Amino acid sequence: MNPDLRALIESGPLAHLSTLNRDGSPQVSVIWIGLDDTDTLVSAHMQRTQKIRNIERDPRVVLSFEAPHEPGVMMAPYAVLQARAEVVADAPAADLLHRLGRLYVAPDFVFPVPEGTPGFLLRYTIDKVGGIGPWAG
């Protein structure tokens, strides 16, 4: 993974996850995103929501997130990742949400579900990186 993209992800931008509904229309969710110990992009979800069902049917997704805005620059840098998502059921989703919550909410944040509680992990294989910034291809 490009070091600039890794740094952006580790800085904690909210991600927009776009999946495809059964009729082909887009479904967009704002999610917390992170990296696992193998530099794979991951997110955690406690329930089998529409985005999970969509990915089980069609793994093609788009993730986008904005980088911090630089004063005097007309457009904030952003990343757009075309990817394939894998659903891992009965995974330790709460553990990842506890870790990401300390980045997204506060260093002492405790996710309101006990660690070890199973849920769904999404693991993303990036096919193409675009956007505006040093990570764009």
Side-chain angles (χ1 to χ4, degrees), residues 62-85:
V62 173
L63 292 154
S64 67
F65 30 89
E66 192 174 324
H69 191 262
E70 299 172 25
V73 176
M74 186 172 84
M75 184 120 183
Y78 64 94
V80 177
L81 312 179
Q82 293 180 15
R84 286 169 283 114

Side-chain angles (χ1 to χ4, degrees), residues 21-79:
N21 289 316
R22 186 173 300 284
D23 66 2
S25 63
Q27 190 272 338
V28 180
S29 301
V30 177
I31 62 170
W32 293 350
I33 196 89
L35 296 168
D36 69 8
D37 56 359
T38 66
D39 268 358
T40 298
L41 205 56
V42 291
S43 63
H45 312 275
M46 295 309 301
Q47 298 176 350
R48 190 171 179 265
T49 58
Q50 187 64 49
K51 64 183 157 283
I52 301 293
R53 291 190 299 272
N54 284 348
I55 290 168
E56 288 171 336
R57 191 184 62 262
D58 186 339
R60 295 175 298 164
V61 301
V62 173
L63 292 154
S64 67
F65 30 89
E66 192 174 324
H69 191 262
E70 299 172 25
V73 176
M74 186 172 84
M75 184 120 183
Y78 64 94

Side-chain angles (χ1 to χ4, degrees), residues 71-102:
V73 176
M74 186 172 84
M75 184 120 183
Y78 64 94
V80 177
L81 312 179
Q82 293 180 15
R84 286 169 283 114
E86 172 193 5
V87 177
V88 181
D90 296 320
D95 296 2
L96 179 58
L97 291 168
H98 277 272
R99 179 172 63 90
L100 292 177
R102 290 190 285 274

